[in-house]
Amino acid sequence: MTGRLFSIPFAVVALAALSGCISFGSKKETKLWTIDCPGQSLLSGSMGAGEATPPKTVRIGSVSVSAPWDCDNIVVRRADGSLARDPFNKFASQPAALLKGPLMSLAASEGVFGRVMPGSTAATPDAILELAVTDLSLDCSGSGRKASVALTAALVSGPGRKVIADGSGDARADASSGDYTAAFSEAFSSALKSAFSKMK
């Protein structure tokens, strides 16, 4: 009976590995990945057509990642529609915390907003930039591996915390090389660029 109990979790991991997206690596070490700001800006340097004058100062506000993508394990989408958490490939921190740095760097690139300040600032901004991520997965449901990101960015301002501009974006990046930092950084940057361009 004991041997049978030990075989169940092993079978689950083995079946997940057969999807071709969960890699065991040498000696089964766990690899930590991050999400970076790309080496060169992907942003256009202006708000969408509906926002003629971007706010002079913007503070980074809340960053949320929807379940089940809000865990440190990279979540894999499989061909049968199920999900698996890769035990050997993880984000270096909780995704919501990990995305704040790249969000601030990308929002500040090429003057998309007048000035971008961290969430810890005591200064009063003209608007607050909030981000909601609705997909952060490794898509293995088709051929190959793709880092997949979908998000919505919103500018909130005034005593009533009204949304003055918002936009959504989604993107996928090739992850077949196994460099998940590069793949998720590219997908996140592209999705955020798309969201910023639609803000109005």
Side-chain angles (χ1 to χ4, degrees), residues 12-134:
V12 171
V13 173
L15 286 172
L18 289 176
S19 70
C21 286
I22 298 180
S23 57
F24 288 91
S26 60
K27 298 182 180 179
K28 298 183 182 180
E29 80 278 11
T30 298
K31 293 184 178 181
L32 300 180
W33 305 93
T34 188
I35 298 176
D36 297 325
C37 180
Q40 61 180 17
S41 172
L42 295 178
L43 303 180
S44 63
S46 62
M47 295 286 289
E51 183 72 15
T53 304
K56 292 181 179 179
T57 57
V58 171
R59 175 169 63 82
I60 300 300
S62 66
V63 175
S64 64
V65 179
S66 300
W69 326 113
D70 57 342
C71 62
D72 57 356
N73 292 85
I74 291 180
V75 180
V76 179
R77 293 180 183 270
R78 298 186 291 192
D80 64 358
S82 65
L83 303 176
R85 293 183 178 180
D86 190 335
F88 303 111
N89 288 286
K90 298 185 175 184
F91 290 117
S93 182
Q94 289 295 313
L98 199 63
L99 292 172
K100 288 187 177 180
L103 171 62
M104 182 172 175
S105 297
L106 287 164
S109 296
E110 299 183 21
V112 175
F113 306 107
R115 176 180 294 178
V116 180
M117 302 180 295
S120 58
T121 185
T124 301
D126 295 314
I128 298 171
L129 177 61
E130 298 183 346
L131 185 71
V133 178
T134 54

